[in-house]
Amino acid sequence: MPTTNATSNGPWDAKLQQFHGGQDWHMDNFIEDFSVTTNAFGMPESAKTAAVHAISQGHHYPPADQEPARSSLASFLWPADFEAEQGRLILGNGASELIDLIIRMAPAGTWKPGPFRTQYKEYERSARNNGFEMLAADSSDKANVCCLVNPCNPTGDYLELSELKSWISNNVLPGGYVLIDESMQPWHSPEFRQHSLLSQHKYIRSLYREQGISVFIMHSWTKLWCCTGLRLGSVVCPTADHMRAIKKSQVPWSVNIVALAFLNAVVADEKYLQKTWQMTPLWRQQSIDQLSARFPTWEFFGRSFLSWIWVDTKSEDVAERAIELARAAGVPVRSGRPGYNLPTFVRVAVRDPAKFSVLLGAWKLL
């Protein structure tokens, strides 16, 4: 069992590490994890089968070129022209590995987050560790490095492509880096690519050619395909040269053979994505309706397609009590206090209605 002390948030060392959800699944009474933004349908069976089979190959090194998984992911991202674009793509041991590698090679100077109230904190953590000067989200100054999470975890905010391009123009210095995290973008719809920077080849190339601004499109694939324990991420770089610069610094075999097998299989599972797009908005709205009926003062944030609900309970005491009751019932939620410094908020994952009913029942005591 994890131990706690004055410098910890559960298993996290509060002085050295960034707090994340997803650490309570070891509980004896565990039912479902509402603290993480993973897919409600769990790990796809087809990919799980491939991953289990890959264990029998565990006595071999993973392919140093990440193939065929890398090409398979490229064909998922760009079905029509993946062969022309895949030279800009590299896989990592979760997005977190790639975030740190890119920020380490970024131009020194100032760092700035996206325009939202808060966002996923690993970008800021890496920037601080690498000596960047922090600018506030509402600063009028442009920065050498900007990092925007879109859709934004946890707030649920979302910029359309025109808004995103405008934000880049207004916030990134010439010669700068901008990391756009689109990990939750594939939940958008079957047309998610059209709403993503993945479709903006000409824009990204012209921005680099004319202003020297490097756009990196980040993905953590552990949420969409519910495989957080496998650690799978990728980045689409502005050029193949940027990709090679990352590869030069990346430790060999950072993505293990099980994760590569999982990825190679999962991108072909169209039925899994179809039910994700169909049911996630429905279950999300049903959850909001039930919570709103019971707690009419609570406020709910986020686009309808997202895999979580960002909830303002309007009270620190109520939020803390909600967190305690959820954990005691085996259905932990994510507190808005650690990392985000928003103690009246909780983040609730979208889950099957039967499992959500357990959480709702636990909150009868609020």
Side-chain angles (χ1 to χ4, degrees), residues 27-28 81 102 182 280 324:
M27 298 186 301
D28 292 338
D81 55 355
I102 295 168
E182 291 195 346
T280 302
E324 293 172 355

Side-chain angles (χ1 to χ4, degrees), residues 260-338:
L260 289 172
F262 178 94
L263 179 60
N264 190 53
V266 79
V267 294
D269 196 334
E270 295 181 3
K271 290 183 179 180
Y272 181 87
L273 290 178
Q274 288 296 332
K275 66 181 180 181
T276 296
W277 292 320
Q278 178 183 2
M279 298 307 300
T280 302
L282 178 63
W283 287 350
R284 187 179 191 277
Q285 189 57 53
Q286 289 176 353
S287 300
I288 291 174
D289 290 344
Q290 293 180 67
L291 288 171
S292 183
R294 182 167 295 181
F295 307 106
T297 63
W298 288 13
E299 193 170 1
F300 308 94
F301 299 89
R303 290 295 185 97
S304 62
F305 60 83
L306 293 175
S307 62
W308 76 93
I309 310 163
W310 185 232
V311 184
D312 187 358
T313 69
K314 309 295 183 179
S315 164
E316 292 187 30
D317 291 339
V318 169
E320 193 63 34
R321 181 62 173 153
I323 293 160
E324 293 172 355
L325 290 170
R327 193 175 192 279
V331 284
V333 298
R334 168 61 155 99
S335 169
R337 183 187 297 275

Side-chain angles (χ1 to χ4, degrees), residues 20-277:
H20 293 265
Q23 292 292 302
D24 291 323
W25 54 271
H26 60 271
M27 298 186 301
D28 292 338
N29 66 334
F30 179 80
I31 296 173
E32 179 60 274
D33 196 347
F34 285 81
S35 75
V36 292
T37 58
T38 52
N39 198 312
F41 287 103
M43 187 179 286
E45 287 300 323
S46 59
K48 185 190 298 185
T49 299
V52 170
H53 175 72
I55 294 174
S56 66
Q57 301 171 329
H59 57 295
H60 297 298
Y61 281 105
D65 59 2
Q66 304 177 332
E67 294 294 352
R70 189 178 72 95
S71 291
S72 296
L73 178 61
S75 67
F76 172 79
L77 297 177
W78 306 290
D81 55 355
F82 76 95
E83 291 179 342
E85 303 300 335
Q86 65 179 345
R88 300 188 290 128
L89 175 68
I90 189 169
L91 309 181
N93 188 270
S96 51
E97 180 199 20
L98 298 167
I99 290 167
D100 198 57
L101 285 170
I102 295 168
I103 289 181
R104 289 185 188 202
M105 70 185 217
T110 53
W111 178 91
K112 190 176 185 179
F116 311 125
R117 190 173 183 182
T118 190
Q119 66 178 31
Y120 177 65
K121 288 292 188 176
E122 281 299 327
Y123 293 94
E124 179 180 338
R125 174 178 180 263
S126 182
R128 288 185 182 277
N129 286 346
N130 285 283
F132 282 83
E133 176 187 347
M134 300 289 110
L135 298 181
D138 59 358
S139 170
S140 60
D141 294 335
K142 292 186 176 183
N144 299 100
V145 179
C146 290
C147 301
L148 187 155
V149 181
N150 190 54
C152 183
N153 188 358
T155 68
D157 291 294
Y158 180 64
L159 298 182
E160 299 290 351
L161 277 176
S162 60
E163 298 172 303
L164 182 56
K165 291 178 181 180
S166 177
W167 183 86
I168 291 172
S169 296
N170 293 331
N171 289 277
V172 186
L173 286 167
Y177 275 24
V178 56
L179 287 70
I180 305 297
D181 190 323
E182 291 195 346
S183 296
M184 316 312 291
Q185 175 73 27
W187 259 280
H188 184 284
S189 66
E191 293 75 40
F192 76 90
R193 299 170 186 85
Q194 300 170 24
H195 298 266
S196 163
L197 280 176
L198 291 168
S199 66
Q200 301 299 301
H201 306 322
K202 291 182 180 179
Y203 164 74
I204 290 172
R205 286 169 180 146
S206 66
L207 198 62
Y208 181 65
R209 182 177 62 252
E210 296 170 11
Q211 299 185 49
I213 293 176
S214 300
V215 178
F216 297 85
I217 308 170
M218 315 296 301
H219 287 98
S220 168
W221 296 111
T222 62
K223 313 304 186 301
L224 179 65
W225 288 312
C226 199
C227 59
T228 50
L230 294 185
R231 314 308 308 134
L232 268 174
S234 69
V235 59
V236 178
C237 302
T239 70
D241 286 342
H242 287 80
M243 186 280 290
R244 285 189 284 268
I246 294 172
K247 182 183 286 189
K248 182 178 180 180
S249 297
Q250 186 180 43
V251 298
W253 313 299
S254 70
V255 185
N256 66 53
I257 202 166
V258 175
L260 289 172
F262 178 94
L263 179 60
N264 190 53
V266 79
V267 294
D269 196 334
E270 295 181 3
K271 290 183 179 180
Y272 181 87
L273 290 178
Q274 288 296 332
K275 66 181 180 181
T276 296
W277 292 320

